[in-house]
Amino acid sequence: MNKSIYSLFCLTFLFGLTECCSQSYIADARFLGKIGTSKVNGYFAIKPSVDCSTLGYFYLEGYYCDPTNPCYVEIRTYPVVNNDFSTVGPIYDPTNIASTPDVNDCSMDMKYNCQYGAISKKYGVVHSDPMGLTFNDYFITIYNQDSFIGRSACVSQNGTLLICATIERNSTYGVIRASAQVQTTSGIVNVIFKQEAGNRGSIADVTIFPPPATPTGWSIVDCTTNDLFAPYGSTNDTCSYSSQSNCAMGDLTTKLGRLNSTQASIFFTDLNINVQPSHPTGIIGKCVRFDDLNVKAPIIFNNTCTGNPLVLEASFTGASVAGTSAEGSIIFSQVRLGCPTTVTVAFTGLIGNHPYHVHQYPNTVPASTGGHFDPFFLEFVQNYACTSDNFGKCGLGDLSGKFGRLAATAAGTYSDYSLPLFGLNSIIYRPVVIHFSNSSRWLTAQILPKDQDIKIIRANYTPEGGSFYVTGNITFYQSAADTSAQVGIYIDARYVVGASGRVGEWHIHENGGDYDNWCIGTGGHYNPHEAGNGCIDTLAEFCAEGDFSAKHGRMYLPVRGTQKYMHTDFQVNLTAIEGKVIIIHNYDNTTIACAPLFDIVKGPPVAPSPYPSPSALPINIPSSALGFSIIGAFFAILAVFLDF
């Protein structure tokens, strides 16, 4: 589903399905290695749909499964440990359907008789090379105690496992990892905790390997006093695996069960634990204790947050409105996802207390920067309350909600695990907007790599340039000194012919220069690394570099007003694509706009001549496509309504 449309559907269903729509629960397993002598590459990816079902995608290239002897996609119970597939256990079956006669009736037509993890039995076997499978499952979940996240995706043939990989959380904010190594008489037992960074209320994965040789209860305790860690209260009578919120955080035995297994590893999903570093209710610095064995070990933060950080800056210099002036900057610094973003604020000349936020779109006019950057629409939840206790529940760009308003002389340094400088929801190249005390907009500055020159290239769509159907532009930003750095893509465009808008695909094509006659001769999509056919939006490395529709979603172009989008891309080299063309396609794949990419310092190229007449393309939308335009128009109006 188009990510923009997906997000707006989530907003429409916000009060009922916010948990399902949260992209915190996107996850994937990466297959990278060998099957026999065949080098393979692929993935198993899952994410929530707007109706709380689970969308799944499987893709594998490099290995051939004959149609007469096909392969099966399966979810196994435990994660892969040390690349040993024997650790993954049986097909995942939390409802224990395998113990009932119903399992014999499992089929694509009777999915409710299948084990949760029997993907191919429910949705089809895979074969050929490459292999692919897409499904929408209403019987499995990824956001409660039966979540797939942290377990294993496997491919089998004739009952033999060919390759497996752990399904890891693909979070906007990165993942916090912590562990304890408990020394027992039979050896060291590793206890590993994983949770989305910045969100103490999110689900956590708990892996134990190898399990202790002697069965035991287990708990999280104060390392000095051995008191049970219970920051939110003690366990009550209704505490259980399915009612974890009624358990003391550290009561792992009652909450998850005793450690008693002959498997190579044990895995649990914990809904009531806080793995966040330096948090007063967090488990880091506490101890895991094996109660029956009377041994314990401290829980240690494992993320590596040393190295050269990415440093960004929003600089406000000598700004003045109605006699009120301000000068200063906001500096953001982060080593990688899963590490804190350090925010340093320094201002002089402010009068009053000023809200400030990261907004959606870069623009020198504050009124044109869109709404707050809040990709998960958290600020629209009923009774929204952003507090310093849990930034993961704040709108991503709600800086004053997290750190407090800017005062007359504002200076401070803050730490935030939920303000990413990397990834699809990075704040890079977006603006910071400072508001007056009454919340009306005052100042804006773009967030740029600090002390670096920025290369900016643009495609202009104008009638003078031959674009009769689309007006506007697409602008790209990248550090001039690093052609591998993240790229910001800002779209501001509209459709100008007829009474209805368009839902268009957009791509960079491989040839440049010959862009007259509707870009005939510009070749296929720009794909210098010869990416295969497994492109999905959350795994851009499987996408052609120029296939922006697959990576970032199609664009809706309205007739009235312009539609704006902002994306972050990890593949594109602006020096390499300068001079190539971006084509915008109609619903039927015909070209409705074409323009070359030019460096804004050098200026646009000379326009080609002559141009085809606007009558060369259809302006009427067939009834089969009308639904897309109506939906698109609704979303455009809704987006404008939310643009505060």
Side-chain angles (χ1 to χ4, degrees):
M1 177 183 287
N2 184 315
K3 286 188 293 185
S4 302
I5 293 177
Y6 171 90
S7 298
L8 286 167
F9 262 124
C10 283
L11 182 58
T12 305
F13 289 101
L14 187 64
F15 297 106
L17 300 177
T18 303
E19 182 94 33
C20 306
C21 288
S22 173
Q23 295 196 34
S24 299
Y25 298 111
I26 292 172
D28 55 71
R30 288 296 314 274
F31 302 117
L32 188 62
K34 286 187 175 182
I35 299 177
T37 58
S38 301
K39 185 177 180 180
V40 297
N41 189 20
Y43 57 80
F44 177 88
I46 51 176
K47 63 182 179 181
S49 179
V50 294
D51 61 357
C52 280
S53 63
T54 296
L55 299 174
Y57 309 86
F58 167 78
Y59 177 79
L60 188 71
E61 58 188 20
Y63 185 77
Y64 180 78
C65 283
D66 191 281
T68 62
N69 186 21
C71 290
Y72 288 77
V73 182
E74 302 166 344
I75 304 301
R76 295 298 184 108
T77 305
Y78 306 120
V80 178
V81 176
N82 297 329
N83 205 34
D84 181 0
F85 301 161
S86 69
T87 65
V88 300
I91 292 176
Y92 184 47
D93 186 21
T95 60
N96 203 25
I97 195 77
S99 65
T100 71
D102 293 339
V103 74
N104 297 318
D105 296 323
C106 168
S107 69
M108 294 176 66
D109 295 324
M110 301 181 71
K111 297 179 177 64
Y112 50 84
N113 287 328
C114 299
Q115 297 161 286
Y116 278 15
I119 301 300
S120 281
K121 288 186 177 181
K122 291 188 284 185
Y123 301 104
V125 296
V126 292
H127 53 79
S128 303
D129 182 17
M131 297 179 276
L133 184 67
T134 302
F135 64 87
N136 190 359
D137 196 312
Y138 290 86
F139 299 95
I140 61 177
T141 179
I142 56 178
Y143 54 88
N144 65 19
Q145 67 270 13
D146 296 328
S147 173
F148 274 18
I149 297 176
R151 305 184 190 278
S152 294
C154 297
V155 181
S156 69
Q157 189 177 36
N158 296 324
T160 300
L161 293 177
L162 301 178
I163 194 166
C164 295
T166 301
I167 302 170
E168 300 281 4
R169 187 175 285 102
N170 188 352
S171 169
T172 284
Y173 308 130
V175 176
I176 298 297
R177 293 173 174 82
S179 66
Q181 292 187 318
V182 186
Q183 180 70 57
T184 70
T185 56
S186 59
I188 291 177
V189 176
N190 298 283
V191 183
I192 299 174
F193 303 88
K194 296 180 183 179
Q195 187 177 48
E196 179 185 41
N199 189 357
R200 64 170 174 79
S202 62
I203 63 176
D205 314 331
V206 186
T207 305
I208 302 94
F209 73 93
T214 303
T216 181
W218 58 316
S219 56
I220 297 174
V221 300
D222 184 282
C223 294
T224 302
T225 65
N226 284 325
D227 292 337
L228 182 70
F229 185 55
Y232 303 125
S234 301
T235 294
N236 65 36
D237 293 339
T238 59
C239 167
S240 68
Y241 185 63
S242 59
S243 300
Q244 296 183 21
S245 61
N246 296 320
C247 306
M249 187 183 295
D251 187 0
L252 303 179
T253 300
T254 310
K255 183 167 51 169
L256 305 177
R258 286 173 61 84
L259 299 180
N260 181 14
S261 176
T262 57
Q263 294 283 344
S265 66
I266 308 176
F267 179 83
F268 299 100
T269 299
D270 195 324
L271 308 182
N272 179 29
I273 200 165
N274 178 5
V275 191
Q276 304 303 311
S278 305
H279 196 282
T281 65
I283 64 171
I284 293 177
K286 306 302 179 184
C287 279
V288 171
R289 184 179 67 189
F290 293 164
D291 300 330
D292 295 357
L293 307 180
N294 197 28
V295 292
K296 62 186 178 184
I299 301 170
I300 299 171
F301 178 51
N302 293 143
N303 289 26
T304 301
C305 293
T306 57
N308 296 324
L310 174 63
V311 182
L312 309 177
E313 181 179 31
S315 180
F316 301 80
T317 305
S320 177
V321 174
T324 301
S325 62
E327 185 166 334
S329 66
I330 304 172
I331 296 175
F332 307 89
S333 174
Q334 186 180 35
V335 174
R336 58 181 58 86
L337 290 178
C339 296
T341 294
T342 300
V343 183
T344 304
V345 178
F347 276 91
T348 58
L350 296 172
I351 297 176
N353 294 309
H354 298 265
Y356 66 119
H357 316 92
V358 178
H359 279 237
Q360 294 171 291
Y361 312 122
N363 200 296
T364 57
V365 179
S368 299
T369 57
H372 298 174
F373 182 42
D374 181 19
F376 307 131
F377 299 105
L378 296 178
E379 294 188 38
F380 293 90
V381 174
Q382 286 180 319
N383 302 316
Y384 169 74
C386 175
T387 68
S388 60
D389 179 60
N390 191 11
F391 288 171
K393 296 299 183 183
C394 300
L396 192 152
D398 188 2
L399 302 181
S400 49
K402 296 176 180 181
F403 314 132
R405 293 189 173 197
L406 298 175
T409 300
T413 300
Y414 311 97
S415 182
D416 186 355
Y417 281 85
S418 58
L419 189 66
L421 307 192
F422 304 91
L424 290 173
N425 290 308
S426 168
I427 64 171
I428 191 171
Y429 299 116
R430 296 182 186 273
V432 172
V433 174
I434 299 176
H435 299 251
F436 286 110
S437 296
N438 64 4
S439 294
S440 61
R441 301 185 186 192
W442 177 23
L443 306 171
T444 183
Q446 192 175 12
I447 302 170
L448 301 171
K450 182 173 170 55
D451 299 327
Q452 294 186 31
D453 293 329
I454 306 302
K455 183 176 180 65
I456 305 175
I457 65 174
R458 178 174 293 150
N460 279 341
Y461 299 93
T462 65
E464 295 79 13
S467 179
F468 296 104
Y469 297 92
V470 175
T471 62
N473 53 68
I474 303 177
T475 305
F476 295 75
Y477 306 87
Q478 188 177 43
S479 169
D482 184 0
T483 58
S484 65
Q486 298 177 102
V487 171
I489 307 174
Y490 174 46
I491 303 169
D492 186 356
R494 63 185 289 254
Y495 193 71
V496 293
V497 176
S500 300
R502 290 291 194 270
V503 176
E505 296 197 351
W506 51 302
H507 318 96
I508 296 178
H509 282 242
E510 59 189 5
N511 300 326
D514 181 17
Y515 58 95
D516 54 351
N517 295 317
W518 299 104
C519 286
I520 294 173
T522 53
H525 298 169
Y526 180 58
N527 188 16
H529 296 104
E530 300 182 347
N533 300 314
C535 178
I536 60 173
D537 54 3
T538 58
L539 290 169
E541 60 265 40
F542 289 90
C543 303
E545 287 188 26
D547 190 357
F548 292 129
S549 296
K551 291 190 286 184
H552 305 300
R554 295 187 293 174
M555 63 171 76
Y556 172 70
L557 299 173
V559 172
R560 295 176 178 86
T562 61
Q563 183 64 47
K564 299 176 183 179
Y565 299 93
M566 185 73 186
H567 304 291
T568 303
D569 196 281
F570 318 104
Q571 295 178 301
V572 176
N573 173 348
L574 297 196
T575 300
I577 66 173
E578 183 181 343
K580 298 186 182 299
V581 297
I582 295 187
I583 298 178
I584 302 175
H585 296 281
N586 201 1
Y587 59 89
D588 59 359
N589 206 38
T590 55
T591 298
I592 59 174
C594 174
L597 286 159
F598 64 91
D599 189 307
I600 64 168
V601 175
K602 301 175 185 176
V606 177
S609 182
Y611 290 111
S613 164
S615 62
L617 284 177
I619 63 173
N620 296 318
I621 302 178
S623 58
S624 61
L626 184 59
F628 286 105
S629 295
I630 294 173
I631 292 171
F634 167 74
F635 288 150
I637 294 169
L638 185 58
V640 171
F641 172 75
L642 296 173
D643 188 14
F644 62 94

